[in-house]
Amino acid sequence: MSGTPEGRGPTAGTPRYSAGPPTTERHAPWPSAGAGGSEPHGYRAAFLAATLPMAVVDHEGLVVTANEALGGLLGRSAATLANQSAADLLDLAADGRTWHAYREVLHGRRSRFRCTHRLKHPDGRALWAEVTVVPMPEREAGAGGSAGPGRVLLSVSDISDRRELQKRLRHLQMHDPVTRLPNRTLFFERLSAVLEAPPYDDGSPGRSRVGLCYLDLDGFKAVNDTMGHRIGDRLLAAVAGRLTDCAAQDGPHRDGAHLVARLGGDEFAILVEDSAGTQQLTDLARSVLAALQQPFDLAGHRISVSASIGVVERAVAGTSATGLMQAADTTLYWAKADGKARWTVFDPERNAHRMTRQTLSSTLRPAVERGEFTIEYQPLVGMADGIVRGVEALVRWNHPQFGMLSPNRFVTIAEEDGSIVQLGRWVLQSACRQARRWQLEHPTDPPLFISVNVAVRQVWDSDLVTDVAEILAETGLDPSLLQLELTESAVMGSAGQPIQALRSLSEMGVRIAIDDFGTGYSNLAYLSRLPVSVLKLDGSFVRGFRYDDGAHPSPADETIVEAMVQLAHRLGLTVTAECVETAGQAERLRRIGCDTGQGWLYSRAVAPERIGELIGTRPMQG
């Protein structure tokens, strides 16, 4: 039992701790019945015969009298408990909060006290006891009587069976019935405890780092679908066994083996407390993959599975359970995207790119309404005379957080979430207005045609033909001055709605150009049946024309480009060369027969005011 805490002697107004034989009671343990009354022998008899362990305790914390049930619980006779410290007998001073509450009741400053306490039974087994302390009525003033000191009634209930039942129920609540592993609830409870734990009592720095292997089985759904959920459950249980073995073999740990949990479905987690670093986590992930690659023999079925694992390892300080799991989930997704049957370590830079992508995706639609997009224009120059014939409209996003973004940062995102339809219509409308404005500002000069990129999703998810017709009517731009660019992969092999839309646009007088030609299908036979009027050669071919700056030209590229230009001309198509950067490239492309060129040799994409200055001026360089 606990010893006497320092400063708890009777002079301090706290319970006295004494030992020795019982002494004569200074006051009767039971209150009088009133004037002329006598001791209520019925109450005392009930107290002594009760099976519930009880004792009357005075205001100093000493046992006045106890029943045999309490003596049996403590392995002593009831008589020997008199004048003993109740706190010592039941170890109530071991916990500061318990000791304070108990004293408050003794001194009349609290009406009731109850606590659950672990005691050691005389037969050696541990038991859980619920200790209750309540004040007893003070002695009533009567004939010849006076008020006496306050006393309390202490009772002890053995709740071991209840605690055991609660323990079993908690185990069922916190464990997965299929694999017997801790479930998601227990996993997060343990993870939160790890992240919130103070340093160890022995003075060591405590858990400074934590690691997590988050995995799911590749193709588990196929097992359930083809063999049934019974075999699927057996497979999950077998996988759980191998994961547990891997965790147990990963060296000694302060708190035993790593926690292996089933988070749901075919998702598992291995929590590494006191992580030694990323190397420990990757070694564990590698051993898990090796263990799972061994076939499983289940009810006559030989099943082979693999797993994808996301590995996260970081300092405990500043880490939250939510943040750790988000990182693990992201890394697991990377492992699957990278080909499955592998582990991938969390990469902050890769995650930052993903977060940026998510931010752009979530703000793209409202950005159009807020007017955050602008358009720059890059000249399309005649190769024969160097005169600007047209311009390509290139959209830019003036993002309030990331600055000016080029199309390759957001167009793919816009195509994926469908916002390209809204954005594309805005670009088309704005570009046509600008082209018409140039035409009105320079009435004596040949008008520039405007080339606008169109995503294939704009053809599928909107009425592009109607949009173009309405915009041309609104702006007054002649259809022959509008060129729509679609990538080769979007046009080649298409059928149905996209082809019908392109034919309708062509019949309207709008020019259709295939962008990045030569990098996709390059189905020339199919090309002859498309309503196309312009081919734009991909810059990868044009770069092979460089002779200056130490570059090595590619004769094969020249041959290919020359053949494509000749074939295009025979089909009645014009050819534009992209990425023209040097005068040497421009000269060779001109000799081959390219009609127009586009690239930094002539101009980068510039503001519309700069294009206005180029209209009607001398030929551009090249």
Side-chain angles (χ1 to χ4, degrees), residues 274-289:
D274 256 348
S275 166
T278 302
Q279 185 64 48
Q280 179 188 11
L281 270 295
T282 56
D283 288 345
L284 177 58
R286 191 177 292 109
S287 68
V288 166
L289 287 181

Side-chain angles (χ1 to χ4, degrees), residues 599-615:
W600 289 358
L601 173 66
Y602 307 110
S603 174
R604 296 173 182 263
V606 295
E609 296 79 14
R610 181 72 183 100
I611 296 297
E613 298 171 2
L614 298 177
I615 298 176

Side-chain angles (χ1 to χ4, degrees), residues 195 207-211 275 312-320 324:
L195 298 178
R207 298 179 177 90
S208 60
R209 303 193 69 82
V210 63
S275 166
V312 182
E313 200 278 340
R314 57 180 54 173
V316 169
T319 297
S320 67
L324 187 69

Side-chain angles (χ1 to χ4, degrees), residues 313-342:
E313 200 278 340
R314 57 180 54 173
V316 169
T319 297
S320 67
T322 300
L324 187 69
M325 289 306 300
Q326 285 178 341
D329 185 66
T330 297
T331 313
L332 174 59
Y333 171 80
W334 293 343
K336 285 192 169 296
D338 292 343
K340 302 182 180 180
R342 67 190 63 216

Side-chain angles (χ1 to χ4, degrees), residues 43-65:
Y43 290 161
R44 181 175 182 82
F47 169 83
L48 295 175
T51 58
L52 177 68
M54 294 185 290
V56 175
V57 179
D58 67 17
H59 74 286
E60 294 182 340
L62 300 180
V63 174
V64 176
T65 185

